Each structure stands twice: as C-alpha cells, then as structure tokens.
Amino acid sequence: MYVERPPGADVADRVACEWRLVSEADTTQLVVPDACVDLIWGPEGLFVAGPDTGPMPTHLVPGDTFVGIRFKPGAAGDFFGLPLQELRDQRVRLSDLPSLHVRLSGLPSPHVRLSDLPPLHVPDAGPSRRLDALRVAVRARLAQGTSVDPASSAIAGALRNGRTVAEVAWDLGFSERQLHRRSLTSFGYAPKTLQRIVRFQRALALARAGVPLAEVAVAAGYADQAHLSHDVKRLSGVSMRHLVSPSG
C-alpha cells in the first residue's frame, strides 16, 4: 500500500509530498525518473534517493515499510550538503554524507537529528512516528537557511513547456554553459536530460488521466507516438501501457 499526502503549507515551496509504503507481497516496484529527490527511512535506515536517469527496480518483501519526504524538482537546493549531480542514480545512506551530519549536529532537539534516527525495524516506532520525526528534522534543516537556485523553477517550467535549451538560456539571460552548470547543481541533470524527464512525466500524467497515447504525444511535445514510445522505454524500461496499468 502506497499513500501520499501534501506537505504542510510552510514547506510547500520545497516539498512535493510526504509518503509511506508498506509492502503486502514479495514484489518489485519500479521507480521511474521524476527529477525529484527523496529522503527515505526504510528497513535499512535513512538514505537519500538521488535524481534518476533510468528505471530503478526495488525489491520488496511483505512487511517492508518505508516513509519518505519528496522534494520538488530543483527544490532540494543544498539541503544534502552537496551538488545533486553527485547523488544522481544513487541511493546513499545518510551517514555517508558527512557534511549533512555536521550541520545537523547543532539542532536544538537531538532526538530528531537525521543522523541519529534508527533503522525502521526498531519495534517501538511505527511509520507514523517515523514520518513525524522526519518531518520535524526536515523543517529544522530547512530553517537553517538552505538555499535554492531562484531560477530552478523557471528552468524546469520552460523545459516542460517545450522550450529548447537555447531558448531557455536566452529567456533567462544565461549562456548555455551557465544553464548547464545551474541545471546540474539544482537537478542533477544536464538541461537536455532534464527536458526529457519532465516531458516524460507530463506524458505519464496525461496517460494516467485517460488521454489517448496519440494525443499524449502531441500534447507533451513529442514528434509522434513512436518518439513517445521510444523515450518512455528508454527512461522506464517498460511501455507506457505498463506504467499506466502494471497489472493489465
């Protein structure tokens, strides 16, 4: 069972959602690129799921429980203490991010320090308590003044709307080299890769809403349905029909 809910209003500019997942079967869940970064508390403890460029299958056994906080594309900023391209396509234990450990060590409530949170299999703390603890720790970390590139939202929005990389750079007053550097730092991707991923996510949302695939291709900015199919397979490893209805 997977459940999402919106974040509090005070962090809505940075956080896309809070979520929890409890596996009810021995299964493999397919995680596909979405330009987001997640802070996750799972059976093996706390880790960061960096921005993906391809499918990330995750094996689950019954009872596996995860809670997470998902940052919006480009909104993690320097929350994790390093440029996001260093987390690309990786799952990194929080304890392996020494800069984050140091910065969190000064929080006024030591019991919610991210670096101190124990593994999820500890019996006296269920998913709700763990999500509460994550929420408090994330707010405390954000209150330290972590920065975000003010252009990140405009970059993602323009690429999602079909502007070319050169057009986005021109619109924002950057050279293409500057846009490339800022995109890597804010999203973990070069602009071309970011464009492919945000377009894919737009197409996926349309398909899940019931829009026919031929119309999805046009609306999301693909040359044709074959182009859509090729890009979906490249990013997810499966067809759009499988993503929309995995058991179909």
Side-chain angles (χ1 to χ4, degrees):
M1 180 182 66
Y2 175 80
V3 178
E4 280 184 11
R5 69 179 186 186
D10 58 326
V11 295
D13 60 329
R14 305 285 296 271
V15 175
C17 68
E18 305 169 352
W19 57 268
R20 67 170 64 182
L21 169 68
V22 180
S23 178
E24 298 167 334
D26 192 316
T27 186
T28 297
Q29 177 163 327
L30 183 63
V31 178
V32 297
D34 60 2
C36 295
V37 178
D38 286 56
L39 175 61
I40 301 173
W41 195 350
E44 303 303 322
L46 280 157
F47 65 98
V48 182
D52 297 324
T53 60
M56 192 68 72
T58 302
H59 182 67
L60 304 173
V61 300
D64 271 356
T65 302
F66 296 79
V67 298
I69 291 182
R70 180 168 302 144
F71 288 86
K72 292 180 174 179
D78 59 2
F79 183 95
F80 297 105
L82 73 175
L84 288 188
Q85 68 262 37
E86 297 185 27
L87 295 171
R88 185 173 56 218
D89 293 322
Q90 296 193 59
R91 304 295 183 259
V92 181
R93 292 181 303 177
L94 211 65
S95 57
D96 291 339
L97 298 176
S99 59
L100 184 61
H101 180 88
V102 171
R103 293 185 185 191
L104 291 171
S105 63
L107 292 178
S109 302
H111 63 285
V112 298
R113 286 186 299 186
L114 290 175
S115 53
D116 289 345
L117 294 175
L120 193 57
H121 56 69
V122 174
D124 63 348
S128 294
R129 283 186 58 196
R130 292 164 193 273
L131 189 53
D132 288 343
L134 265 190
R135 190 181 302 120
V136 171
V138 166
R139 281 183 166 81
R141 171 71 174 136
L142 292 175
Q144 292 178 321
T146 62
S147 64
V148 174
D149 188 333
S152 63
S153 179
I155 293 171
L159 292 173
R160 186 182 298 111
N161 290 330
R163 303 286 285 171
T164 67
V165 171
E167 288 171 340
V168 174
W170 174 265
D171 291 346
L172 297 177
F174 302 147
S175 67
E176 289 192 42
R177 183 186 297 271
Q178 286 175 317
L179 179 62
H180 182 89
R181 185 178 66 252
R182 296 174 81 138
S183 182
L184 280 178
T185 301
S186 295
F187 301 93
Y189 307 127
K192 280 285 188 184
T193 303
L194 175 63
Q195 183 180 50
R196 186 176 299 120
I197 289 171
V198 296
R199 182 174 56 190
F200 160 69
Q201 282 293 327
R202 185 181 180 197
L204 181 57
L206 290 169
R208 285 175 170 162
V211 177
L213 293 185
E215 295 179 26
V216 168
V218 174
Y222 291 92
D224 51 32
Q225 192 171 337
H227 183 201
L228 166 68
S229 298
H230 176 78
D231 242 24
V232 169
K233 190 69 178 291
R234 181 176 175 180
L235 288 169
S236 71
V238 298
S239 68
M240 180 65 88
R241 296 189 191 283
H242 180 87
L243 288 174
V244 172
S245 181
S247 59

